[in-house]
Amino acid sequence: MTDADSPPPGEQDLAAVMFRILPRLGALEEPILREAGLSMWEYAILTEVASGAAVSQRELSRRTRRDPTRLGRHLDELVKRELVSRDRPQDQRQRTVAITESGQALLDGVRRNIREVEDKLLHTALTESDARNLRRLLDRVAAACESD
């Protein structure tokens, strides 16, 4: 690495920056999730299930990076609360998971509330345009990480 390739003085690595931001986001989002009766993992699972058509438990485990056994426990709870359904297609051994109407309604409300607190946080340091760009850029980085 040459001096030209070196990071500017004082510029932190991405992980260092993210570790400064994540605790604050967690503190802002935790009361919203608690009020909705969701753990962070259950919220992540609901979000992933809601992102498309019914998904297999194996695929859901991969997407959420949650161990299949632990994922199964979360799904049992979400099924019990009628937030997701879990079906076994006739021609497949693997169950598929889909969000229910009540699960989608809960998720929509939680997302609105989380977006509101995130926007307040972002707007303490960024313009509306910068906040939109940051979200867009982070989505691109996240997608690149998932394709690895």
Side-chain angles (χ1 to χ4, degrees), residues 109-148:
V110 168
R111 279 182 168 165
R112 269 191 306 277
N113 293 337
I114 285 177
R115 183 63 178 245
E116 185 178 313
V117 297
E118 286 176 350
D119 283 348
K120 284 180 185 175
L121 175 65
L122 289 175
H123 295 137
T124 62
L126 303 173
T127 66
E128 181 73 33
S129 175
D130 286 344
R132 266 194 317 275
N133 285 335
L134 176 63
R135 285 183 186 277
R136 184 180 50 77
L137 292 170
L138 287 173
D139 280 342
R140 286 174 47 192
V141 172
C145 291
E146 290 167 359
S147 66
D148 289 343

Side-chain angles (χ1 to χ4, degrees), residues 32-128:
I32 296 166
L33 295 175
R34 185 173 9 119
E35 184 178 320
L38 295 172
S39 69
M40 184 58 84
W41 277 112
E42 290 167 339
Y43 176 65
I45 292 164
L46 275 180
T47 300
E48 192 57 46
V49 171
S51 69
V55 62
S56 73
Q57 283 185 213
R58 181 175 294 133
E59 177 64 14
L60 186 57
S61 175
R62 186 191 68 73
R63 288 186 196 174
T64 60
R65 300 172 193 237
R66 191 68 168 156
D67 172 82
T69 303
R70 290 184 177 164
L71 175 68
R73 286 187 225 136
H74 292 301
L75 288 175
D76 288 344
E77 181 61 30
L78 293 171
V79 167
K80 187 169 93 177
R81 293 177 56 204
E82 299 181 352
L83 300 175
V84 300
S85 63
R86 198 164 35 176
D87 301 310
R88 189 181 309 269
Q90 291 179 348
D91 60 341
Q92 295 180 359
R93 293 184 359 215
Q94 182 68 29
R95 290 182 173 185
T96 58
V97 182
I99 195 161
T100 63
E101 278 187 40
S102 58
Q104 188 65 59
L106 178 70
L107 180 61
D108 290 346
V110 168
R111 279 182 168 165
R112 269 191 306 277
N113 293 337
I114 285 177
R115 183 63 178 245
E116 185 178 313
V117 297
E118 286 176 350
D119 283 348
K120 284 180 185 175
L121 175 65
L122 289 175
H123 295 137
T124 62
L126 303 173
T127 66
E128 181 73 33

